[in-house]
Amino acid sequence: MVAKTSGPQLEQRIQCIKFIIFCLNAIIWMMPYREHFISSLCLHQYESDNHIIVFIRVTNIKLLGSSMFGLCMWLRLDPNFQEWVSFLEIYEFYIGIYILLAASIFIVVITFIGCGVALMEHILGLYIYAGLQLFSYVLGLVGTAILLDYSTYDSKIQPLIRRSMTALINNYQDPKATYILQLIQESIGCCGADGPMDYLTLKKPLPTECRNTVTGNAFFYGCVEEISWFLEGRSGWLAGLALALCMLHIIITALTLTLVRAIKKEERYITFKR
């Protein structure tokens, strides 16, 4: 009795796993275009010759992988942000962005591969797809770790900012250095690298942009802390999106390997039945 029902049960499990893999790939692809919500999603499932073809109709959506790509491009190409990075010479901030940018392109490509090998039930292709998912997971983790290591408070970016701010204060008589200091300190509301004492330590006059325009008091916080918080606010969204994708990579890998086991069991059942 068990042998008679194991075949259909295996087939149902295979179809179920394939359907879930398709849906997760769709989640990786999909992202809202403007209002940041999915306006409509219709799934139609058809079964033919042990294959499930999932037609996904999405209105007014954008790809999730492309969302990470777009966010990386925005952080890299924003002219105002580029100016700040150039002034402070903190190009290390871009390292993690470059890695996540490559990861986002890779994700878009392997999603096509996953749908194809799942439809064909190609065991070797499924193993390769699982390996690519794990590679994407590692790439996403590495990119996120490097990004946060050069963009958060008390990270490696702070000594770089402190070095640049100290050099600008030392060259305060230079018009370019004066302009950069004025732009940074007025925009963020900070003073010196670690506070107003930096000017006194370096025997430089305290500039007017270091003072609050209302009270006339010098800003308490230095630009190292303020800029670190500013960078952390921008990189946090990208890091969160990358980690969410990493979680999906692990889930899809587990489902892919489960699908391989189910297909092998089905093949053994068919051989035994013959």
Side-chain angles (χ1 to χ4, degrees):
M1 185 66 181
V2 175
K4 291 182 180 179
T5 58
S6 60
Q9 287 179 352
L10 275 175
E11 184 177 341
Q12 289 177 1
R13 290 174 184 175
I14 289 173
Q15 306 305 338
C16 181
I17 295 171
K18 287 165 66 176
F19 182 74
I20 294 173
I21 291 175
F22 278 123
C23 290
L24 289 177
N25 277 313
I27 291 172
I28 289 178
W29 271 84
M30 292 185 300
M31 189 69 181
Y33 179 65
R34 289 182 183 176
E35 294 78 14
H36 296 280
F37 66 90
I38 298 177
S39 58
S40 66
L41 174 63
C42 298
L43 297 177
H44 302 284
Q45 179 180 340
Y46 297 92
E47 184 174 346
S48 176
D49 296 328
N50 294 331
H51 294 292
I52 290 181
I53 303 175
V54 181
F55 295 94
I56 302 176
R57 180 173 61 84
V58 182
T59 306
N60 200 23
I61 63 172
K62 209 174 184 180
L63 309 179
L64 182 57
S66 297
S67 296
M68 189 165 74
F69 176 83
L71 195 53
C72 289
M73 293 299 292
W74 172 65
L75 287 174
R76 180 61 186 88
L77 300 178
D78 180 30
N80 295 327
F81 195 68
Q82 274 186 319
E83 189 178 40
W84 282 52
V85 172
S86 177
F87 286 158
L88 296 171
E89 297 180 353
I90 49 174
Y91 298 103
E92 290 82 356
F93 174 75
Y94 289 139
I95 297 175
I97 293 178
Y98 287 140
I99 296 175
L100 292 178
L101 187 64
S104 64
I105 298 173
F106 189 71
I107 288 169
V108 172
V109 174
I110 66 172
T111 303
F112 281 115
I113 298 174
C115 291
V117 295
L119 275 174
M120 294 184 296
E121 297 183 4
H122 193 280
I123 293 179
L124 178 60
L126 288 170
Y127 276 126
I128 294 174
Y129 177 61
L132 293 176
Q133 287 289 340
L134 289 177
F135 178 75
S136 299
Y137 168 77
V138 173
L139 198 62
L141 278 187
V142 171
T144 303
I146 295 176
L147 176 65
L148 295 178
D149 201 26
Y150 283 101
S151 64
T152 56
Y153 185 80
D154 200 21
S155 66
K156 292 180 180 178
I157 200 68
Q158 288 193 322
L160 302 178
I161 300 172
R162 184 175 291 108
R163 178 198 62 191
S164 298
M165 288 297 298
T166 304
L168 290 171
I169 295 172
N170 274 323
N171 297 322
Y172 188 72
Q173 68 279 1
D174 181 64
K176 183 180 179 181
T178 303
Y179 167 74
I180 295 173
L181 284 171
Q182 181 179 2
L183 177 66
I184 293 174
Q185 292 174 151
E186 283 185 348
S187 301
I188 297 183
C190 59
C191 185
D194 297 300
M197 288 300 296
D198 290 337
Y199 283 93
L200 301 178
T201 303
L202 297 172
K203 298 180 180 180
K204 301 292 181 180
L206 192 67
T208 56
E209 59 267 16
C210 263
R211 298 182 181 275
N212 190 299
T213 56
V214 178
T215 64
N217 297 326
F219 292 118
F220 179 77
Y221 291 105
C223 294
V224 173
E225 290 187 355
E226 294 290 345
I227 293 174
S228 298
W229 290 329
F230 174 75
L231 294 176
E232 185 175 329
R234 289 210 164 192
S235 62
W237 290 100
L238 179 57
L241 180 59
L243 290 177
L245 283 170
C246 286
M247 181 186 67
L248 285 177
H249 290 319
I250 293 298
I251 295 173
I252 292 176
T253 300
L255 287 172
T256 302
L257 296 177
T258 304
L259 177 60
V260 170
R261 291 182 59 187
I263 292 173
K264 287 183 176 180
K265 282 185 179 180
E266 186 185 41
E267 289 177 351
R268 287 197 297 267
Y269 171 77
I270 294 173
T271 304
F272 175 78
K273 190 176 180 180
R274 289 177 181 176

